[in-house]
Amino acid sequence: ACDSVSYVINNDFRGAYLGATYLLESGKRNIFFLSGPQNISVATTRTQGLQMAFREKNMPFRKDHILYDNLTFRDGYRSIEQIIKSYHPPIGIFCSSDIVAIGALSAARAFSYKVPDEISIVGYDNIENDRYLDYPLTTIAQADYQIGSHGMKMLIELITSQEPYCRVHQVVFEPELIVRKT
């Protein structure tokens, strides 16, 4: 029997590290993470990536700046409404997805904040629509197609194997920061 499992994943630690470093280097000090659900591994891994970026810049990382359960456009919008009640610019927002980031961007603009000077936003996914927004979104691009393609090849190999299959493939794709206007 195999004592390990195969997987194909995105390096979420690195993606969050890149996003936080970008926000810190752009002068943002109040940085918030609009995370998905707290109990999933992606949230933990990305939080660790953020913490590493803060450590490298000798900046304190505030766990109370992680807002969980941000999954939709409306969640991103509401989170910005909540943040601006208590904090003043410059504010950095790192989002669990581009959909959440687009909601955050919409709120920032609705409340007349200058993007990216007063509120800077980084999404995650590099979805197709990002570049077509009137304010193209800065985002973390992951290798979605390659992850899916590689995973499917591994699955087919597993299914069609004539003998007990024990080859372990553990593939990690590296994300990339795409800097646009936010």
Side-chain angles (χ1 to χ4, degrees), residues 27-32 54 62 65 87-93:
K28 305 305 182 282
R29 292 300 172 255
N30 283 319
I31 294 177
F32 294 83
F54 275 77
R62 295 184 50 176
H65 281 202
Y87 295 90
H88 299 289
I91 296 170
I93 307 291

Side-chain angles (χ1 to χ4, degrees), residues 66-100:
I66 304 173
L67 306 181
Y68 292 103
D69 299 320
N70 281 278
L71 298 169
T72 66
F73 174 96
R74 174 170 274 163
D75 293 334
Y77 195 102
R78 267 195 291 237
S79 288
I80 293 299
E81 286 182 310
Q82 183 182 335
I83 290 164
I84 62 176
K85 284 178 186 168
S86 304
Y87 295 90
H88 299 289
I91 296 170
I93 307 291
F94 177 72
C95 299
S96 58
S97 73
D98 285 347
I99 297 301
V100 172

Side-chain angles (χ1 to χ4, degrees), residues 18-179:
L18 291 171
T21 299
Y22 170 78
L23 291 169
L24 287 165
E25 289 179 351
S26 70
K28 305 305 182 282
R29 292 300 172 255
N30 283 319
I31 294 177
F32 294 83
F33 176 23
L34 306 191
S35 177
Q38 184 170 2
N39 58 352
I40 60 172
S41 63
V42 170
T44 303
T45 305
R46 290 183 184 175
T47 298
Q48 291 167 346
L50 290 168
Q51 287 172 317
M52 174 62 82
F54 275 77
R55 237 186 336 270
E56 283 187 2
K57 301 285 185 202
N58 294 312
M59 297 289 298
F61 178 78
R62 295 184 50 176
K63 288 218 170 188
D64 64 329
H65 281 202
I66 304 173
L67 306 181
Y68 292 103
D69 299 320
N70 281 278
L71 298 169
T72 66
F73 174 96
R74 174 170 274 163
D75 293 334
Y77 195 102
R78 267 195 291 237
S79 288
I80 293 299
E81 286 182 310
Q82 183 182 335
I83 290 164
I84 62 176
K85 284 178 186 168
S86 304
Y87 295 90
H88 299 289
I91 296 170
I93 307 291
F94 177 72
C95 299
S96 58
S97 73
D98 285 347
I99 297 301
V100 172
I102 292 167
L105 173 60
S106 181
R109 298 192 65 205
F111 291 101
S112 300
Y113 285 96
K114 291 186 183 82
V115 178
D117 301 335
E118 294 178 314
I119 297 181
S120 188
I121 300 164
V122 176
Y124 208 110
D125 293 328
N126 193 32
I127 61 174
E128 186 66 27
N129 296 344
D130 289 350
R131 72 185 87 165
Y132 303 115
L133 297 168
D134 58 345
Y135 250 72
L137 188 65
T138 296
T139 188
I140 305 297
Q142 49 188 350
D144 291 337
Y145 179 82
Q146 291 90 331
I147 290 170
S149 172
H150 212 87
M152 185 55 75
K153 284 179 194 159
M154 286 169 41
L155 183 60
I156 290 168
E157 195 176 307
L158 174 68
I159 291 168
T160 59
S161 176
Q162 298 299 315
E163 289 154 36
Y165 188 84
C166 225
R167 200 171 316 149
V168 175
H169 299 281
Q170 296 175 330
V171 182
V172 179
F173 283 95
E174 292 302 318
E176 174 189 0
L177 175 69
I178 309 279
V179 177

